[in-house]
């Protein structure tokens, strides 16, 4: 039952793709969504995170005209956050509890109303960066996923997903207080 939790939580249907090693998972990701250093001419300060929901990329601005670019999965149509936020909290192997709104839209999630502990079965994956505005949790996250084949798609309940490998890398670069811009 817990093995299917990630599918249930995301509201995705199974693609029939087997779970496997990180190497196998990486090979199932469209090469254009693999992490890489790219030219970045934007005006943001180094250390800023820029999320381009339309193109399905997240940029960690390094300065000097470059950024680390990560492929992402985004929220289903109409289920995303836009604008500015800050990382207000970080967690490794975070627990997850569906919001009331999620449970209203997808009643089968009520079975997880008490929360799910962190671990491989958890839909937030290996780490999460919690987005805050005005000192308050927005309930949106930058987080890992146990469904790497969803990178590049609009499938989540609004959060931004990265592969577990990529969220661990971003987690190591970004600190609490990091500026995030979502366009």
């Amino acid at each position: 039952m817990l093995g299917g939790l990630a599918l249930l939580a995301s509201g995705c249907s199974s693609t029939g793709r087997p779970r496997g090693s990180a190497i196998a998972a990486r090979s199932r990701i469209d090469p254009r969504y693999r992490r890489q250093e790219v030219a970045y001419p934007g005006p943001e300060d180094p250390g800023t995170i820029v999320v381009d929901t339309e193109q399905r990329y997240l940029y960690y601005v390094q300065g000097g005209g470059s950024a680390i670019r990560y492929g992402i999965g985004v929220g289903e149509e109409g289920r995303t956050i836009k604008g500015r936020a800050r990382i207000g909290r970080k967690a490794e192997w975070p627990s997850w509890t569906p919001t009331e709104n999620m449970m209203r839209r997808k009643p089968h999630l009520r079975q997880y109303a008490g929360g799910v502990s962190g671990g491989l079965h958890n839909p937030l994956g290996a780490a999460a960066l919690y987005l805050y505005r005005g000192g308050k949790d927005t309930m949106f996250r930058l987080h890992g996923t146990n469904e790497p084949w969803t990178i590049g798609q609009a499938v989540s309940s609004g959060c931004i997903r990265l592969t577990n490998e990529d969220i661990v890398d971003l987690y190591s670069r970004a600190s609490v207080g990091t500026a995030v811009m979502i366009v």
Side-chain angles (χ1 to χ4, degrees), residues 56-133:
R56 314 277 162 77
Y57 292 119
L58 179 152
Y59 298 87
Y60 182 80
V61 179
Q62 298 185 109
S66 73
I68 302 294
R69 186 180 76 188
Y70 305 84
I72 57 173
V74 299
E76 297 168 331
E77 185 70 32
R79 300 201 184 285
T80 191
I81 184 175
K82 298 282 188 179
R84 297 189 179 275
R86 293 210 173 264
I87 296 173
R89 181 174 161 237
K90 295 171 55 170
E92 295 180 44
W93 295 109
S95 61
W96 171 77
T97 303
T99 65
E100 261 315 307
N101 193 29
M102 289 170 74
M103 290 186 287
R104 210 174 3 268
R105 284 188 302 75
K106 299 174 183 174
H108 66 275
L109 294 179
R110 290 219 178 270
Q111 65 184 313
Y112 306 111
V116 178
S117 61
L120 294 174
H121 60 280
N122 187 300
L124 295 185
L129 304 172
Y130 295 70
L131 300 180
Y132 281 61
R133 283 187 177 153

Side-chain angles (χ1 to χ4, degrees), residues 6-161:
L7 290 173
L8 291 173
S10 67
C12 303
S13 61
S14 174
T15 61
R17 295 188 180 148
R19 297 189 190 275
S21 70
I23 293 170
R26 188 161 173 78
S27 69
R28 292 193 309 256
I29 297 171
D30 184 323
R32 68 184 162 172
Y33 294 118
R34 293 188 181 145
R35 176 178 10 129
Q36 60 184 294
E37 187 168 331
V38 297
Y40 186 82
E44 293 82 16
D45 292 332
T48 301
I49 294 172
V50 178
V51 180
D52 182 338
T53 58
E54 186 175 317
Q55 296 298 313
R56 314 277 162 77
Y57 292 119
L58 179 152
Y59 298 87
Y60 182 80
V61 179
Q62 298 185 109
S66 73
I68 302 294
R69 186 180 76 188
Y70 305 84
I72 57 173
V74 299
E76 297 168 331
E77 185 70 32
R79 300 201 184 285
T80 191
I81 184 175
K82 298 282 188 179
R84 297 189 179 275
R86 293 210 173 264
I87 296 173
R89 181 174 161 237
K90 295 171 55 170
E92 295 180 44
W93 295 109
S95 61
W96 171 77
T97 303
T99 65
E100 261 315 307
N101 193 29
M102 289 170 74
M103 290 186 287
R104 210 174 3 268
R105 284 188 302 75
K106 299 174 183 174
H108 66 275
L109 294 179
R110 290 219 178 270
Q111 65 184 313
Y112 306 111
V116 178
S117 61
L120 294 174
H121 60 280
N122 187 300
L124 295 185
L129 304 172
Y130 295 70
L131 300 180
Y132 281 61
R133 283 187 177 153
K136 295 183 180 180
D137 188 352
T138 64
M139 303 305 288
F140 288 92
R141 318 279 183 247
L142 307 177
H143 66 78
T145 182
N146 298 321
E147 300 175 320
W149 57 89
T150 64
I151 299 303
Q153 299 177 36
V155 295
S156 79
S157 290
C159 292
I160 304 299
R161 348 172 133 177

